[in-house]
Amino acid sequence: MLVKEGGKAEDMRVLVTGGCGFIGSNFIRHTLREHPEDQVINLDKLTYAGNPENLADLEGDPRYLFIHGDICDAEAVEEAFSRDPDLVVNFAAETHVDRSIMEPEAFLRTDIFGTFRLLEAVRSHGTPRYLQVSTDEVYGSIEEGSFDEDSPLRPSSPYSASKAGADLLVLSYVRTYGTPALIIRPSNNFGPYQYPEKVIPLFITNLLEGRKVPIYGEGTNVRDWLFVEDNCAAVDTVLRKGEPGRVYNAGGGNEITNLELTRRLLELLGRDESSIEFVPDRPGHDLRYSVDSDRLRALGWEPRWDFLRALEHTVRWYRENRGWWERIRSGEFRRYYRRQYGGGL
Ligand code: NAD
Ligand code: DAU
């Protein structure tokens, strides 16, 4: 457990990057709820995926400070680090695999070079702890069994290759400079505030609009779903209790094919299989992700949400927050959607 000299464990200044995105915004709320004495600084570039509305409820909260800036920009990073954070969590990234296949450049820039900028700031400021939020996708696909933290990295997409590059850079800083950095590799997250390009919110919002849902290939690919609240608890656990220099996997324990997932969503939304459209497969599409999370469980973490209850909760959230996703779907998203799926859907 990290405790400040002469202070309490519950008295931290936490720098979060990418806090206006899906997981980052849930994590900021989680931190201020679970550690009410903490202060949070959020450095976010506000890309298409960054939405200040995700944290509208924190407006005027004296424990929260927003800095608009890019993690690749040394001046913006310096401004954030000049607040002297005790803990840094890097969520900032380009995150959508399909966009990385269309236009990889921003992925290399933010996911690798942005991580470098943050590591340099940690080094020059002597920051006590840095957590890199990685992904289970860095291991690539596995047909049977599960990857542990020592498994080789075999990323398939420009997204996962950029995340793997960042992980290697973090580990090199641990070895070379003794940087007190840790890495977490979570599985597929879902829940409130997820940008509707990712499969679960895309399918829910398409169905709510009376459209079909595009399944890549035959829908046999398997993902291990982790409710975002459980992931926030995992990130918090590694951040405060993890051993510097170590990597921690965080899997949800809910492996399911895309077709089975789609059937559950159709049921929850009162639609039948005529709403499914099978579309050409994603290039380099990983068949199955699966990670062993025993190392993280040994720190006392386990997922608490039942998968179906979490899925129902998520569907309800999108039903009740139509304005949130309609504003997104009427903007830049439209152009992306047409380019990715064509005009028919
Ligand atoms: P997201 O796309 O919803 O949000 C990304 C956030 O980062 C946005 O607020 C965006 O404005 C910000 N950002 C992007 N580039 C930036 C830059 N150069 N400088 C500052 N801010 C920038 O992402 P998410 O789904 O919340 O994912 C958060 C992190 O978790 C990412 O690192 C991702 O790789 C990792 N991850 C995501 C999942 C998942 O299922 N969503 C699973 C495992 C790991
Ligand atoms: O595993 C963790 C990763 O999960 C994160 O690191 C990524 O940031 C996050 O985007 C996610 O990656 P995936 O590629 O697994 O998620 P996505 O929601 O894009 O796709 C999930 C599965 O659904 C995948 O097998 C592809 C399929 N799919 C996706 C879309 C968008 C479809 O069949 N149709 C679709 O339209």
Side-chain angles (χ1 to χ4, degrees), residues 264-272 319:
R264 304 237 165 126
L265 290 173
L266 290 171
E267 223 171 275
L268 289 173
L269 285 141
R271 303 286 292 278
D272 63 32
R319 270 192 204 283

Side-chain angles (χ1 to χ4, degrees), residues 203 205-213 271 275 329 337 343-345:
F203 283 16
T205 54
N206 267 22
L207 292 168
L208 287 172
E209 280 190 342
R211 291 173 194 265
K212 291 190 169 192
V213 296
R271 303 286 292 278
S275 292
R329 287 181 57 120
Y337 189 87
L345 277 161

Side-chain angles (χ1 to χ4, degrees), residues 95 135-137 159 188 199 214 216 223 258 282 285 341:
T95 62
T135 166
D136 66 351
E137 293 201 20
Y159 162 68
N188 281 67
V199 76
Y216 296 157
R223 294 294 182 266
N258 293 336
R282 170 187 280 175
H285 196 173
Y341 301 102

Side-chain angles (χ1 to χ4, degrees), residues 6 26 32 45 48 55 64 75 88 99 112 133 158 170 180 189 192 197 314 322 324 331:
N26 279 287
L32 292 175
K45 183 181 177 183
Y48 78 92
L55 289 170
Y64 173 69
E75 263 180 43
V88 177
R99 289 190 194 245
I112 303 177
V133 181
V170 170
N189 275 226
E197 65 192 350
T314 304
R322 209 174 168 111
W324 181 88

Side-chain angles (χ1 to χ4, degrees), residues 118-140:
L118 295 172
L119 288 167
E120 278 297 287
V122 166
R123 190 155 82 93
S124 65
H125 284 262
T127 307
R129 193 168 281 225
Y130 173 88
L131 175 59
Q132 173 72 5
V133 181
S134 177
T135 166
D136 66 351
E137 293 201 20
V138 295
Y139 299 115

Side-chain angles (χ1 to χ4, degrees), residues 94-98 134-137 159 163 186-189 194 197-203 213-217 219 221-225 258 261-262 279 282 285-287 289 336 340-341:
E94 290 293 337
T95 62
H96 192 39
V97 172
D98 294 320
S134 177
T135 166
D136 66 351
E137 293 201 20
Y159 162 68
K163 296 294 287 186
S187 63
N188 281 67
N189 275 226
Q194 188 167 30
E197 65 192 350
K198 307 284 166 40
V199 76
I200 289 184
L202 175 73
F203 283 16
V213 296
I215 295 187
Y216 296 157
N221 305 69
V222 173
R223 294 294 182 266
D224 174 12
W225 292 100
N258 293 336
L261 170 70
T262 305
V279 300
R282 170 187 280 175
H285 196 173
D286 286 327
L287 182 64
Y289 295 140
Y336 162 74
Q340 177 66 16
Y341 301 102

Side-chain angles (χ1 to χ4, degrees), residues 189-328:
N189 275 226
F190 69 106
Y193 298 102
Q194 188 167 30
Y195 192 88
E197 65 192 350
K198 307 284 166 40
V199 76
I200 289 184
L202 175 73
F203 283 16
I204 295 172
T205 54
N206 267 22
L207 292 168
L208 287 172
E209 280 190 342
R211 291 173 194 265
K212 291 190 169 192
V213 296
I215 295 187
Y216 296 157
E218 293 173 355
T220 49
N221 305 69
V222 173
R223 294 294 182 266
D224 174 12
W225 292 100
L226 173 62
F227 187 54
V228 66
E229 268 302 317
D230 282 329
N231 186 36
C232 290
V235 170
D236 199 35
T237 301
V238 174
L239 182 64
R240 289 165 204 259
K241 296 188 189 160
E243 196 182 311
R246 290 211 110 180
V247 178
Y248 294 85
N249 290 337
N254 298 302
E255 289 188 31
I256 186 171
T257 65
N258 293 336
L259 187 56
E260 197 46 45
L261 170 70
T262 305
R263 289 192 173 125
R264 304 237 165 126
L265 290 173
L266 290 171
E267 223 171 275
L268 289 173
L269 285 141
R271 303 286 292 278
D272 63 32
E273 295 201 14
S274 63
S275 292
I276 294 177
E277 177 103 7
F278 288 94
V279 300
D281 209 351
R282 170 187 280 175
H285 196 173
D286 286 327
L287 182 64
R288 174 173 171 258
Y289 295 140
S290 183
V291 288
D292 174 332
S293 313
D294 283 355
R295 185 179 285 176
L296 177 50
R297 284 171 182 265
L299 295 182
W301 173 83
E302 61 177 1
R304 301 202 173 279
W305 279 74
D306 167 75
F307 176 61
L308 265 189
R309 192 166 68 86
L311 202 59
E312 273 168 24
H313 178 86
T314 304
V315 169
R316 197 173 322 119
W317 190 86
Y318 281 87
R319 270 192 204 283
E320 289 170 1
N321 290 276
R322 209 174 168 111
W324 181 88
W325 57 264
E326 278 182 346
R327 275 189 288 286
I328 291 172

Side-chain angles (χ1 to χ4, degrees), residues 20 25 29 51-61 64 193:
C20 292
S25 60
R29 212 172 282 109
N51 186 350
E53 261 192 69
N54 297 0
L55 289 170
D57 51 319
L58 292 184
E59 225 169 274
D61 189 320
Y64 173 69
Y193 298 102

